[in-house]
Amino acid sequence: MRILRTPEERFADLPDFPYEPHYADVPDGLRMAYVETGPADGEPVVLLHGEPSWSFLYRHVMPELAAAGLRAIAVDLIGFGRSDKPADQAEHTYARHVEWTRALLFDALGLGRVTVVGQDWGGLIGLRIAAEHPERVSRIVAANTGLPSGDIPMPEVWHQFRNAVLKAPVLDIARLVQAGCRTRLSEEVRAAYDAPFPDESYKAGPRVMPSLVPITPDDPAAPANRAAWQVLTTLERPFLVAFSDGDPITGGMAPILLKSISGTAGLRHPVIEGAGHFLQEDAGAELGRQIAAFVTST
C-alpha cells in the first residue's frame, strides 16, 4: 500500500480549531488522527465526519459537548484530514473503513459507553460499528446519514454527485463542502477544507467514497449492512435522529430511521432549521446542544 501523509504545515492557522492532533496506529500500517476536548473522564462522544470533510467540520459542535461535561472525540477517517491517505483508490473499501475506525476507537483508545455520532459516511461507518459492537455503545445519533443496503434506490441528486466526483479532472473539495451548506463559507474555512489535500494524488479517499456506497442488492457491502439493520431495529440503545431541514441527499432517511429503529421511541427528535447537508457547518452549535441534551438526559 502506497501511503501519503499530509505535511503538518498545511494545517497552520485553522479558524476556530485550536485542538492539538492525536494519532494512533490502525491496521495496514496506517496512522489515524483525532482531536478531543472536554474532561478526560467524561462520557465519550465520538464524532464521525463524511465525504469530503474532516474533523474540522465539528469545530462548533465540540465546545457544546465539552461544556456539558462530555469528552468529545472527532475522528479523521483514513484518507481525510490528518489521517494517512492510501494513494490507490482500490485500497479503500467499505469493510476496511469500518475496521480502521473500529480499531481506533476500541483497540487504540479503549473506549466504552460510547455515544456514536455519524453524518454522511460517518453514519455509514458508525452505524455498522454500533451494530457490530453494541456492548461498547450506549447511544447513537444519526445526523443527515443512513445505512444503505442497495435494496432502496438512491435519489437522483446523489447519483449526480457520485458521477461528478468520479469524473471531475480536478476535485474541488471546498466547493463540494460549500455546495452542501446553506451558509456562505469564508475563504479561511474553504482553505481549511482544502488543507488535507496538497494535490490530486492525496484525494483517492474523496474520489472513491461515493462509489463504495451500496446501491445494488448484490454490492459486496450489502450483506453486512442488512445484518446491521437487523441489529439496530431491535437494539435497546437510545437512538436520536437529528437531521437538518434542507438536505436533498439524505433527508428521506429520517422517517425510515424513526419508523424502523426501536431506540428512537419516546425521544424528541430535533429538526435542525436553516441547515443543509453539512449541518455541523450551518448550525454546529445547535447540533452540539441537541447532542449534549440527548446524552445527559439518557
Side-chain angles (χ1 to χ4, degrees), residues 75-127:
V75 174
D76 289 343
L77 299 179
I78 290 294
F80 298 83
R82 289 184 169 100
S83 288
D84 282 349
K85 299 169 180 65
D88 185 350
Q89 293 184 27
E91 300 288 1
H92 294 263
T93 69
Y94 194 153
R96 272 183 160 176
H97 276 279
V98 171
E99 174 56 18
W100 288 327
T101 307
R102 183 212 62 80
L104 172 71
L105 302 181
F106 301 151
D107 296 345
L109 298 182
L111 298 178
R113 300 183 64 194
V114 174
T115 297
V116 176
V117 179
Q119 182 261 342
D120 191 271
W121 257 102
L124 272 73
I125 293 170
L127 292 175

Side-chain angles (χ1 to χ4, degrees), residues 11 33 52 62 74 76 83 122 130 144 194 196 199 267-268 278:
F11 300 99
M62 295 174 69
D76 289 343
S83 288
N144 288 1
D194 284 330
D199 59 49
L267 299 174
R268 187 186 68 82
F278 294 107

Side-chain angles (χ1 to χ4, degrees), residues 86-198:
D88 185 350
Q89 293 184 27
E91 300 288 1
H92 294 263
T93 69
Y94 194 153
R96 272 183 160 176
H97 276 279
V98 171
E99 174 56 18
W100 288 327
T101 307
R102 183 212 62 80
L104 172 71
L105 302 181
F106 301 151
D107 296 345
L109 298 182
L111 298 178
R113 300 183 64 194
V114 174
T115 297
V116 176
V117 179
Q119 182 261 342
D120 191 271
W121 257 102
L124 272 73
I125 293 170
L127 292 175
R128 278 276 299 274
I129 290 174
E132 293 170 6
H133 304 277
E135 74 283 356
R136 298 275 199 152
V137 174
S138 292
R139 304 170 199 82
I140 302 166
V141 179
N144 288 1
T145 191
L147 189 63
S149 62
D151 301 309
I152 299 174
M154 298 289 284
E156 179 58 31
V157 65
W158 184 87
H159 288 282
Q160 294 171 0
F161 168 76
R162 178 179 182 270
N163 292 335
V165 170
L166 287 172
K167 296 177 180 179
V170 176
L171 191 61
D172 190 334
I173 300 295
R175 182 180 178 183
L176 289 176
V177 176
Q178 178 64 84
C181 296
R182 291 275 190 89
T183 52
R184 187 68 183 172
L185 304 183
S186 69
E187 289 303 314
E188 292 78 11
V189 169
R190 290 174 68 101
Y193 283 114
D194 284 330
F197 310 105

Side-chain angles (χ1 to χ4, degrees), residues 23-24 51 59 69 82 86 143 158-159 162 181 186 196 205 209 234 246-247 251 281 283 294:
Y23 301 97
E51 157 84 356
R59 68 195 181 282
R82 289 184 169 100
W158 184 87
H159 288 282
R162 178 179 182 270
C181 296
S186 69
M209 290 299 265
T234 58
D247 183 11
E281 189 64 53
F294 167 62

Side-chain angles (χ1 to χ4, degrees), residues 16-20 34-38 45 47 55-75 284-285 287-289 291-292:
D16 302 320
F17 198 69
Y19 309 108
E20 288 295 319
Y34 64 97
V35 296
E36 66 173 279
T37 188
V45 180
L47 306 167
S55 58
F56 177 78
L57 181 68
Y58 282 101
R59 68 195 181 282
H60 298 310
V61 175
M62 295 174 69
E64 302 294 334
L65 302 179
L70 305 173
R71 180 187 177 191
I73 303 168
V75 174
L287 177 62
R289 287 190 287 269
I291 296 170

Side-chain angles (χ1 to χ4, degrees), residues 220-236:
N225 280 17
R226 289 192 196 101
W229 268 110
Q230 292 296 316
V231 173
L232 291 171
T233 53
T234 58
L235 185 63
E236 294 183 357

